[in-house]
Amino acid sequence: MFVFKNAWKSVIRNKGRNILIAIIVAIIAAAATIGLSIRQAANSARETGLENTSVTGQISVDRSKLISASSTSGSSGSSGQPDFSAIREALSDKELKLSDYQKYAKLSSVASSYYTETSSLAKTDSFQAVSTTSSDSSSSSSESSNANAQQGPGGGMGGGMEATTVSGDFQLVGFSSDQAVKNASNGSFTMTSGEVFGYDATDDNEVIISKSLADFNNLKVGSTISAANPSDSSKTYTLKVVGIYKNSTETSGSTGGPGNSSTASDPANAIYTSVATLKALGLDASSTLTTTDSSGTSSTSAAAQISYTYVFSNKSDYTSFKTQATKAGLSSDYSVSSSDVEEYESSLVPLNNLSQFALTLLLIVLGVGAVVLIVLSLFNVRERKYEVGVLTAMGVKKTKVAAQFAIELLIVTMIGLGIGAIAGAATSVPVSNQLLASQVAQQESESSSQQAQFGRGMQGGGAGSNSSGTGSGSSNSGSNTGGNSGSTTQAAPSQSNGGPGRIGTRAVSYVSSINSTVSLSMVGQLVLIGLGLTLLSALVGVIFVMRYEPLQILADRS
C-alpha cells in the first residue's frame, strides 16, 4: 500500500514531467487507434465482405498446369521449340459434359446453378445477318463453313469446354433458366416487344432476336425465320420469333478480324432461345457437327459449348465448394474460380495498401515513442537518485522502490492512453477516409497511366460495359463489414473483357469509405500497447534503481 500511495503522490508532485509523458502517450495512442481501425476495417472487409452476398463460380480446365506438365515431360526439338503434339494431347478431351456439371451442382454448398449452351447458325436467302460490309459474304456456303472452323473458348471463366465449333453468321445461345438469361454473356438487354421464350418442350423453336436484327430483316413478334446448319447449308431450321430485345451495351459491326467474314461475334446477331430448343434442333452440347477442310479431311466437334455457373449464398460456401468438388471426384486438371471474388478482392486493393501503410506507420510511432519514453524514464530516475538513496537507506527494499517508479509510469501511461484512444476514435473515420480516398485516387492514376503508355485509348473503351456472364446480383462491392466497419464503393477503371469477341473496360468498384468503431478487441490491443510501453520504459528505471547503492548516493549528495 505504501508503494501505491507514494507513487500517486509522486505523480501529483511532478506535474510537468508527467504531463509531457501523458501527451507523448496520447499521441502514440491516437496514431495506434487510427492504424488499428484501418487494419480492422480491411480485415473485416476481406473476411466478411461477401458473407451476405451471393457469389458465382465456375469450373474450368487448368490449361497453364496442363501445358506446363506436358512441356516438362515432353521433348523439345533442336530449335528449342515446344512439343506441340504433347501439349495438344494434354489439352484434348478435357471438356466436362453437362451431366458432370450437374453432378457438382447437387453439392450442399451450391444454392442454385444455371448454364448456357452456345452454338451457331448460318444465314439463308430469307434471313440475313446484320453486317456493316457492303458485300454479301456467305459463311453458309460449303467452302466458307469448312474454312471457318475455330477453336472454342473452353477453359474460360464460364465453363470448361474445349470443343471446336463452326463459326456461322449467328450466335445461337440456349439458356437453362431466367437466371441464365439475366446474365447473358453479350450484356444486359431489355425487351422492346413480345416476351422471353419458355423452357418446356412445348416451347421448342421459340427465339428472341435483337431489334437491329429484326429491323434488318423486317421481322416482328410472331414472324418465323429460317436459318441453316453452319456445316450443311442444305439443312435448315424454322424458328418462331416470340420477342425482340435491345442490348443495353450494343455495338455494331463484326469483330471477326481481317479475313474473317463471320458476323456471329456481333451482339446484334445473337439469337436467344432455350436449351430445350437447342436439343430439339440437334445443336446442343451432346450433339456433334462434322466439317470437312479444304484438303478433304473430316472432323467432328461438339455442336455447342457449355458455360455453367454455380451460385453460392456467400463466399464461405464458395470456399467449401472447392473442397466438396474435389471429394466428389473433380480432377486436379480443373480449377474452381469466381470472378465475383476476384473483382471484390481487386476492389480492396486501395484498402489493403492503406492497411499496410497503417501498419508501417504504427510500428514507426511505437518505436519512436518507446525510445522517447525510455529517455524520459532514464532522466526521471537520475533526477530522483537522492530519493532512491533515502528510501533504500530507510530500509525500503529496492524492488519496492523500482515498483513505485513502474506504477508511476503506468498511471501516467494509462491516462495518456485513455485520452489518445478517445481522440483517435473521434478522428479515425475522417482521417481514414481521407487517406483511403488518396489511395483510390492513386490506384485510378496507375490504371490511367497504364492505359496512357499505349499512346491511345484501349479498344472498346466504353467504361460501363457489362461483366460477361458472371452477374448474380453480387456485383455490389459495397458491404456491411460485420458491424465494426462498413464500406461503400466508387467506380474506377480496370481492364477486362466486355463480352465475346470484344475488348472492353469494366469498372472496378473500389472500397472508398470505411466507418470503423472502437471495438473491445481494439481496446484490448491498446491496453497491451500501453502495458508494453510501460514495461519497456520502466525496465530502464528498474535496472538503475537496482544498481544504486544508498550509502554511496548519500555520500555523493553530501
Side-chain angles (χ1 to χ4, degrees), residues 52-396:
N52 298 317
T53 307
S54 60
V55 174
T56 60
Q58 298 80 28
I59 297 176
S60 57
V61 177
D62 192 343
R63 286 181 170 178
S64 298
K65 177 182 177 181
L66 292 174
I67 292 175
S68 177
S70 60
S71 300
T72 303
S73 60
S75 58
S76 300
S78 56
S79 62
Q81 224 176 19
D83 189 346
F84 294 114
S85 298
I87 295 175
R88 290 192 185 98
E89 184 178 353
L91 295 175
S92 64
D93 299 327
K94 292 297 182 181
E95 64 272 12
L96 292 177
K97 294 181 172 49
L98 178 60
S99 57
D100 297 324
Y101 288 113
Q102 291 174 332
K103 179 181 71 171
Y104 300 119
K106 296 178 181 178
L107 297 176
S108 61
S109 57
V110 180
S112 62
S113 63
Y114 59 87
Y115 66 96
T116 61
E117 294 187 2
T118 305
S119 186
S120 57
L121 291 173
K123 62 187 178 183
T124 60
D125 292 337
S126 61
F127 183 53
Q128 301 284 309
V130 177
S131 175
T132 57
T133 59
S134 58
S135 60
D136 181 18
S137 55
S138 174
S139 64
S140 60
S141 63
S142 59
E143 60 270 18
S144 97
S145 65
N146 293 338
N148 281 333
Q150 64 180 9
Q151 184 70 23
M157 293 301 296
M161 199 63 182
E162 295 292 334
T164 301
T165 187
V166 176
S167 174
D169 300 291
F170 307 96
Q171 187 183 64
L172 182 62
V173 184
F175 296 91
S176 64
S177 62
D178 284 345
Q179 190 178 18
V181 174
K182 177 183 177 182
N183 300 290
S185 60
N186 282 332
S188 59
F189 63 88
T190 55
M191 299 297 297
T192 61
S193 60
E195 60 183 10
V196 175
F197 46 82
Y199 303 97
D200 299 330
T202 55
D203 301 312
D204 286 355
N205 294 9
E206 291 184 349
V207 299
I208 61 174
I209 61 176
S210 70
K211 190 175 186 305
S212 299
L213 186 58
D215 293 343
F216 194 83
N217 289 276
N218 194 25
L219 298 172
K220 59 182 180 180
V221 175
S223 300
T224 58
I225 58 178
S226 178
N229 187 296
S231 61
D232 184 2
S233 58
S234 64
K235 186 175 182 179
T236 59
Y237 310 97
T238 301
L239 306 172
K240 181 181 178 181
V241 178
V242 296
I244 297 175
Y245 69 88
K246 181 176 179 60
N247 282 320
S248 301
T249 54
E250 187 169 339
T251 60
S252 60
S254 170
T255 56
N260 190 347
S261 61
S262 172
T263 56
S265 57
D266 191 334
N269 293 319
I271 302 174
Y272 294 158
T273 186
S274 65
V275 290
T277 294
L278 256 66
K279 188 173 183 62
L281 297 177
L283 294 175
D284 62 321
S286 61
S287 304
T288 58
L289 292 177
T290 301
T291 59
T292 305
D293 59 21
S294 56
S295 62
T297 304
S298 298
S299 60
T300 301
S301 60
Q305 299 168 354
I306 299 176
S307 176
Y308 206 101
T309 301
Y310 301 94
V311 181
F312 310 96
S313 299
N314 48 55
K315 184 182 177 182
S316 297
D317 287 346
Y318 162 71
T319 304
S320 299
F321 176 76
K322 294 182 178 182
T323 304
Q324 293 179 356
T326 302
K327 292 181 179 179
L330 182 64
S331 170
S332 59
D333 293 339
Y334 303 88
S335 63
V336 179
S337 59
S338 171
S339 60
D340 293 329
V341 174
E342 292 171 359
E343 288 173 12
Y344 184 71
E345 290 177 349
S346 297
S347 75
L348 295 178
V349 169
L351 185 56
N352 290 334
N353 291 341
L354 182 58
S355 176
Q356 186 62 40
F357 169 76
L359 176 61
T360 303
L361 181 62
L362 178 61
L363 294 177
I364 293 174
V365 169
L366 291 178
V368 174
V371 171
V372 173
L373 289 177
I374 289 173
V375 172
L376 289 177
S377 178
L378 176 60
F379 278 108
N380 179 37
V381 174
R382 289 178 64 87
E383 288 177 359
R384 298 168 62 185
K385 180 192 279 189
Y386 183 71
E387 179 183 344
V388 174
V390 171
L391 290 174
T392 52
M394 292 172 56
V396 179

Side-chain angles (χ1 to χ4, degrees), residues 17 71 88 105 139 178 250 257 281 397 410 430-431 446 449 452 553:
R17 182 187 65 246
S71 300
R88 290 192 185 98
S139 64
D178 284 345
E250 187 169 339
L281 297 177
K397 293 182 179 180
L410 180 62
V431 171
E446 289 179 359
S449 298
I553 292 174

